Structure formats: C-alpha cells, structure tokens
Amino acid sequence: MSKRKRSQISRWIQYAILIVVAAFVVIQADWATLAETFLNLEVAAGMFPEVITVALKNTILFTLLGFALGLVLAIVLALMRLSSVGPYRWLAIIYIEFFRGLPALVVFLVMGFGLPVAFPGLGLNKLVVIMVALGLVASAYMAETIRAGIQAVPQGQVEAARSLGMSSSRAMVTVVLPQAFRIILPPLTNELILLTKDSSLAYILGSSVAGRELAALARAEIVNTASLTPFIVIALCYLAITIPLSYLSRLLEKKFGSVGRPA
Amino acid sequence: MKNRTGEPIIRVTNLAKSFGDNEVLSDINGEIYRGEVVCVIGPSGSGKSTLLRCINMLETPTSGTIVVDGHEMTDPDVDIDAARTRIGMVFQSFNLFSHLSVRENLTVAQRHVLRRSKAEANRVAEHTLERVGLSEKIDAAPSSLSGGQQQRVAIARALSMNPDVMLFDEPTSALDPELVGDVLKVMRSLADEGMTMVVVTHEMAFARDVADRVLFMADGVVVEEGPAAEVIGDPEQARTREFLHRVLNPTG
Ligand SMILES: Nc1ncnc2c1ncn2[C@@H]1O[C@H](COP(=O)(O)OP(=O)(O)OP(=O)(O)O)[C@@H](O)[C@H]1O
Ligand SMILES: [Mg+2]
C-alpha cells in the first residue's frame, strides 16, 4: 500500500470515529429538557439590560483595574528579578513562586477576608479588594513574561545605549522596555484573557446588586428563575470579550513578531 | 606619524583583564594622542575587542588604569556616563535601536544625555547624517537599511555626541563585501578631518593606508607596534609575519 493510500485510509477512520461520537451524543441527549433548562428565551430576555450595563461593565472594570495593578507590580518584580542586588532578586523569586503556586480562588479568599481584617482602618471597599486580589494573581505571571521579554532584547542594544552615555536606568526606560513590550504584547494580551475569566471569582466575596459582575449576576438569576439559561448568557458575554482579545493577540504577534532582533 | 605633543587622549597603564581563570589581557600599556588613527590587528581571541571595551568600561578591567581625556575611567567614583559621552563606539553588529527611526537613533542620547533642545539635536542629526552620506534616510527605519547603511548610521549616531575619540570594533566584519567600501570611505574621511580613532580591523589595506600606527596583538599582549608601513609592510616579530601571511593569503 502506498504511503498516500495509507494516510487517506487513516483520515477516513478518524472521520468515522468523530461521526460516531457526535451521533451518540445527539441521540442520547435529552434535547427537550436541555432546551428548557439552558435556552429559556424568556429568562434570557429578563437579564437585559442589567447583564450588559451592570455585570459586563463590572467584569471589564475589575479586569482592567486588576490588570493595571498587576502590570505595575509585574514591571517592578521583573526589574527586581533581574537586579544585581541579591535581596531584591530573592524577594522577587519568593513572591513569584508563591503567587504562581496558589490557585486564584485561594488568593481571592485570603485577600477578600484577610485584607479588611488586616487593615480595618483603611475602610477598604470591595472594589479595592478585588483589584488587589486580581492584581496579585496577574502580577506573578506577568513578571515572568516581562522578565523573558527584557532578556530577549539583545545585549548589544544596552551596550550601544551605555556607550552613548545613558545610565543603566535610562537605557532600560528608553531602549530596553519599549523593545521588550513589543515582544510581550501578545502574551500580555493572553494574560488579560485569563484575568477576564479569573474576575469571575469576585462572586465569592459577595456583592451588592450594583457590584455584580457576570458570574455573580448569573448565580443570582439562577436562584430567581430556576433555569440554567443565565449561564449561557454570561458564557456568551465572556466569549464576546475573550475572542476579540485572542484575535488581537494573534494580530499583535504577526505585527511585532519580528521586532526585537537586532536591526 | 602625527606629532605626539601634549597629554595623550587615552593612556592605558598596566591593564589586565580576566574572565574567571581566563586571562584575556595582560599588562597592556600605551597611549593614543589627539588626531591619531591607531589600528589594532591580531588573531581571533587575542583580546582586541576586550581592550577596546575596557577603554569605555563596557568591560571592567581586573587591574590597571585607563585615563581618557583626563578622566580616570577606572576610578570607581568617576561619572562614567559623562565620561562615555566623549567616547564614540561603533560595533561589529551596528546595534542601532531597532524600535526607533534613524532620526531618533541620532537624537535620543543628545536629548536625554546631553540635554540638547529638540531643534539642536535635529540639526546635529541632519548634519552628521550628511557626513556619512545618508541624508535621505533620516526618517527610515533601521530594519529597512542595508548593513552598510546601518553601520554608517551607527557612525553618525556616535558622531552626534561630538566625541573626542571614536572606537571601532571590526566595523566592516558583518558586511557583505560590496558594502565594505562605503563604510571604510566614511571612516577615512573622518580620519582626514582629524578625528582620533582606534580601529580594530581585519582590513589590512585600510590599516596600511589610513593608520598612523598599528598594534599587533596576540594572546592578550601587544606583540608589536609601530607605523603602519613597518608593522604591516615589514614586521619584525615572527608572530606578526605569520599572522599577516595568513590574512593576506587566506587560501595558501
Ligand atoms: N564576556 C566574556 N566572558 C567570558 N569570556 C570572554 C568574554 N568576552 C571575551 N571573552 C574571551 O576573551 C578572549 C578574547 O576575546 P576578544 O573578544 O577580546 O577577542 P578578539 O581579539 O576581539 O577576537 P575576534 O577577532 O574574534 O573578535 C576570548 O577567549 C573570549 O572567549
Ligand atoms: Mg572582537
């Protein structure tokens, strides 16, 4: 049998398996109940406009605040991680390993219930707590991404900058970080996607009606309506954020993928 | 050879440099005077780049002193950034800032380091770019230029700081052969204008024609030095002769 023939046959077998699995699912599923539970249009319609004006808005707000804090922390951590000062390096490593090793849920629980107890005088509102929890979760991952980006900038770029009389911090700000950011823009966009999903953990902290993000709203609606349709509605909302972001990430990768090599 | 009067612009005393156990430079001494063009030749690994990089402290010497323009570079308390602005450096791999345009490459250090106004930095950039014959490329991106053009922009970038001395580390080694000439022409015109230059190179014709003095290095020491005609034309040391023979007759 020729090689081409063999791979053709194996392709047909793969198709056949897929069709059998799909057919099994279609035949076995109880479509009537499924539609009733997950696709109740009345329930879906009842969620508007709050699902957009409150919940989606809050999800985006939490994500962006967490991302902003995480980015600032991550840049500082990455610079500490690459510092020639030993204690800075160790601190950064401990922080990064600590927060990367914890489930986001645990960070939320500890921050959500710990921060207000630890700093009662600050009168921390929920938004700040959520922002800190998301920022901590994001910063450990982003710090490693940024460190890799900085290290991907060729050493010759720094040497050229230093030879022109730039201080090491000036060279970092003017030459290294701008080049590093082009390299890490796609992975940072991916981090934004992950964070969008992590923001759903805010529901475990409880919230006022006006403070609900998508996941919290869905839970409330499910209790009210005894239908699982709200899950489908918020799933579509998450996808409406994450799919464009992942498209953007691929676009950036194409545009900047070649930058960072020596000119 | 140019008349060597006054203080040398570069004075190297008992310079040694090791990387771990590997002693790359041992007890180097020498001066370079204002307006001199000195070419450094020698086999790969002999420490030429390391010597050049020690002069502007891109490498920290293990021992010895380096004085440039009256500033002791090896003094731990020297303002190294200020001292480096007087020393232009041109690298084998150009090292243009890849995220900036040609104009920005030429102005960024003028603005941030010398604190020149935008207008003045631009004026200087336009002028130095003209000196290297690339005025029309001022708004180009480095990646759109040929290697020879990139290296000329790199020379212009260094010149924009109005250095007193220029260091070149194999400026034509990464270039396609047909682009080497343009870069050497720019360097030759710089030499004619009286720029003090230290050039590590394998271009023997350039060294013979342009250099006032040639240093031959091997195994981290200066084996032979003197006027170009003598060191290249009629070397005294056997190692110099052997090296030149290999460089000038690469196939035989
Ligand atoms: N950063 C470094 N760390 C460790 N060893 C180094 C470093 N830089 C240079 N060396 C070593 O120092 C020696 C001299 O290197 P150098 O680059 O000065 O030689 P060179 O004369 O410029 O050679 P070439 O003609 O190949 O450029 C080599 O053995 C090299 O491996
Ligand atoms: Mg070298």
Side-chain angles (χ1 to χ4, degrees):
Chain A
M1 207 187 300
S2 77
K3 198 164 180 185
R4 194 178 64 93
K5 236 338 187 287
R6 265 209 308 267
S7 76
Q8 238 169 24
I9 290 175
S10 112
R11 178 68 50 83
W12 283 117
I13 294 174
Q14 289 166 26
Y15 287 157
I17 293 174
L18 275 177
I19 289 169
V20 168
V21 171
F24 178 82
V25 170
V26 167
I27 293 165
Q28 289 295 312
D30 177 352
W31 287 104
T33 317
L34 271 180
E36 174 63 30
T37 339
F38 282 104
L39 288 176
N40 187 329
L41 290 182
E42 215 170 296
V43 169
M47 292 172 71
F48 286 87
E50 287 74 24
V51 66
I52 305 292
T53 56
V54 178
L56 184 64
K57 189 206 81 186
N58 278 332
T59 289
I60 293 174
L61 177 71
F62 296 171
T63 306
L64 289 182
L65 286 175
F67 188 75
L69 176 68
L71 190 60
V72 172
L73 284 174
I75 292 174
V76 174
L77 283 166
L79 294 175
M80 285 171 69
R81 181 80 173 70
L82 293 171
S83 161
S84 53
V85 183
Y88 286 168
R89 265 198 325 270
W90 306 326
L91 267 178
I93 291 172
I94 291 168
Y95 177 102
I96 290 167
E97 293 305 329
F98 185 78
F99 281 104
R100 277 206 311 184
L102 292 178
L105 177 69
V106 173
V107 177
F108 262 87
L109 287 171
V110 172
M111 289 299 137
F113 299 109
L115 269 188
V117 175
F119 303 102
L122 296 181
L124 294 171
N125 70 23
K126 203 137 263 169
L127 189 61
V128 174
V129 174
I130 292 169
M131 173 171 152
V132 170
L134 278 177
L136 292 179
V137 169
S139 63
Y141 288 96
M142 289 201 283
E144 286 296 272
T145 307
I146 293 172
R147 177 183 64 81
I150 289 174
Q151 286 181 320
V153 175
Q155 186 58 23
Q157 296 282 310
V158 181
E159 291 184 351
R162 299 303 309 270
S163 79
L164 290 163
M166 289 189 204
S167 64
S168 60
S169 49
R170 168 51 69 191
M172 181 57 75
V173 170
T174 314
V175 174
V176 178
L177 286 180
Q179 293 188 30
F181 264 94
R182 291 170 184 223
I183 300 170
I184 63 183
L185 227 40
L188 282 189
T189 316
N190 283 330
E191 184 56 39
L192 195 55
I193 293 173
L194 293 177
L195 212 58
T196 305
K197 297 187 283 177
D198 283 341
S199 72
S200 64
L201 291 171
Y203 85 84
I204 58 171
L205 304 181
S207 60
S208 64
V209 171
R212 283 177 185 157
E213 42 63 65
L214 288 168
L217 178 76
R219 283 174 61 91
E221 289 289 316
I222 285 161
V223 174
N224 288 343
T225 62
S227 160
L228 294 180
T229 307
F231 276 149
I232 299 295
V233 175
I234 68 154
L236 293 175
C237 288
Y238 279 115
L239 291 177
I241 303 174
T242 53
I243 290 176
L245 278 178
S246 86
Y247 178 74
L248 176 69
S249 158
R250 275 198 302 277
L251 214 66
L252 291 169
E253 199 157 356
K254 226 182 261 164
K255 185 160 175 349
F256 291 131
S258 61
V259 175
R261 287 179 301 150
Chain B
M1 203 184 296
K2 297 219 168 93
N3 55 332
R4 298 201 199 168
T5 48
E7 270 292 292
I9 191 160
I10 301 176
R11 183 193 292 281
V12 175
T13 316
N14 301 331
L15 171 66
K17 172 70 183 175
S18 303
F19 292 105
D21 293 340
N22 181 10
E23 183 164 67
V24 173
L25 295 175
S26 33
D27 199 28
I28 304 268
N29 289 280
E31 290 96 36
I32 287 162
Y33 289 83
R34 224 168 262 282
E36 252 194 323
V37 176
V38 175
C39 282
V40 182
I41 62 173
S44 181
S46 55
K48 308 180 297 293
S49 297
T50 306
L51 172 61
L52 214 59
R53 292 160 58 82
C54 281
I55 292 176
N56 70 355
M57 297 293 284
L58 284 183
E59 299 292 354
T60 309
T62 309
S63 63
T65 55
I66 292 166
V67 179
V68 179
D69 226 358
H71 299 268
E72 189 185 329
M73 308 292 284
T74 37
D75 177 352
D77 291 324
V78 75
D79 181 350
I80 192 66
D81 297 327
R84 281 188 182 130
T85 62
R86 299 190 193 80
I87 308 170
M89 180 135 190
V90 175
F91 301 86
Q92 183 174 348
S93 51
F94 330 134
N95 297 351
L96 292 181
F97 302 133
S98 53
H99 63 305
L100 300 178
S101 70
V102 168
R103 179 194 301 274
E104 290 162 335
N105 264 276
L106 268 59
T107 54
V108 66
Q110 294 189 64
R111 301 273 287 128
H112 288 304
V113 179
L114 300 180
R115 305 255 160 237
R116 286 180 181 157
S117 71
K118 193 169 176 182
E120 194 192 356
N122 265 314
R123 198 178 48 70
V124 173
E126 284 159 19
H127 176 66
T128 50
L129 213 50
E130 196 182 320
R131 282 172 79 179
V132 302
L134 286 173
S135 294
E136 77 282 5
K137 297 292 186 190
I138 191 152
D139 290 311
S143 56
S144 71
L145 304 178
S146 74
Q149 290 171 332
Q150 289 190 40
Q151 192 59 298
R152 282 146 69 199
V153 171
I155 294 173
R157 176 175 67 180
L159 289 176
S160 295
M161 304 295 282
N162 301 104
D164 293 326
V165 50
M166 290 277 287
L167 311 176
F168 295 84
D169 191 1
E170 299 199 34
T172 58
S173 294
L175 298 178
D176 291 337
E178 79 272 18
L179 302 176
V180 169
D182 289 341
V183 173
L184 292 182
K185 207 166 80 191
V186 167
M187 292 169 61
R188 189 184 292 253
S189 72
L190 264 185
D192 291 341
E193 288 163 27
M195 175 61 77
T196 311
M197 295 163 57
V198 184
V199 186
V200 174
T201 187
H202 291 297
E203 298 289 336
M204 291 306 148
F206 177 84
R208 194 166 42 212
D209 296 349
V210 181
D212 298 300
R213 200 148 48 98
V214 171
L215 305 186
F216 171 69
M217 285 184 71
D219 297 330
V221 296
V222 177
V223 173
E224 183 164 358
E225 72 168 292
E230 284 172 25
V231 176
I232 296 177
D234 182 20
E236 273 178 20
Q237 303 288 328
R239 286 161 93 181
T240 319
R241 276 202 295 277
E242 188 195 317
F243 169 73
L244 285 167
H245 182 78
R246 266 191 291 120
V247 172
L248 298 175
N249 310 288
T251 50

